[in-house]
Amino acid sequence: MAKPDSDRNRIELLQGTLDMLILQTLRWGPQHGYGISQAIRAGSNEVLQVETGSLYPALHRLEKQGWIRSEWKTSQNKQRAKYYRLTPTGRRQLAAEQSRWAQLVEAMTALMQPRGNEVKS
């Protein structure tokens, strides 16, 4: 069975990237799990999609590390939902991860540049 285009164009996240994306999303303000996944999806122009099976374990891990805190609130559609917010420690962690990410992007960009001694096929 052929996969739909949306599945073919999805990008698998590098290990550790999900944590950074969650922290970045919470930098914009408190959010519940579904809202976090939708913010990542919308912010990436529908390229990155975080599955529930990955999101909630990551949220629990980040909370255990003290990078985020949670509290139960009533959502806009009047349902009880757990809202997550970034802690000061989480802000520092996000800054560190953004710095490492910038180094990775710089290194990958350098490697992808054409070189004079490239073999043409």
Side-chain angles (χ1 to χ4, degrees):
M1 176 191 242
K3 288 192 169 222
D5 284 341
S6 62
D7 281 349
R8 251 187 305 171
N9 293 331
R10 277 189 26 207
I11 296 172
E12 294 297 322
L13 297 178
L14 293 172
Q15 184 176 358
T17 307
L18 178 56
D19 292 357
M20 182 177 62
L21 293 175
I22 292 170
L23 295 175
Q24 176 61 39
T25 301
L26 293 176
R27 186 172 163 207
W28 301 323
Q31 191 59 265
H32 51 72
Y34 181 74
I36 292 168
S37 68
Q38 291 305 301
I40 291 170
R41 186 177 198 166
S44 69
N45 295 320
E46 309 293 321
V47 174
L48 303 176
Q49 298 177 33
V50 181
E51 303 298 329
T52 303
S54 299
L55 178 64
Y56 288 97
L59 287 168
H60 293 140
R61 184 178 63 254
L62 295 176
E63 190 168 21
K64 189 174 182 179
Q65 291 170 322
W67 299 345
I68 63 174
R69 297 258 186 268
S70 67
E71 65 179 311
W72 289 98
K73 292 184 177 182
T74 303
S75 67
Q76 290 178 342
N77 62 357
K78 308 291 186 229
Q79 292 187 356
R80 197 165 172 245
K82 197 175 209 181
Y83 279 75
Y84 300 89
R85 66 177 173 79
L86 196 57
T87 65
T89 304
R91 286 188 192 283
R92 288 190 295 277
Q93 181 62 29
L94 175 59
E97 290 190 25
Q98 287 172 325
S99 176
R100 282 193 298 275
W101 180 256
Q103 287 178 320
L104 174 64
V105 168
E106 187 177 315
M108 293 293 288
T109 300
L111 281 169
M112 299 308 289
Q113 297 300 315
R115 302 182 101 163
N117 60 353
E118 223 173 84
V119 177
K120 295 183 181 183
S121 34

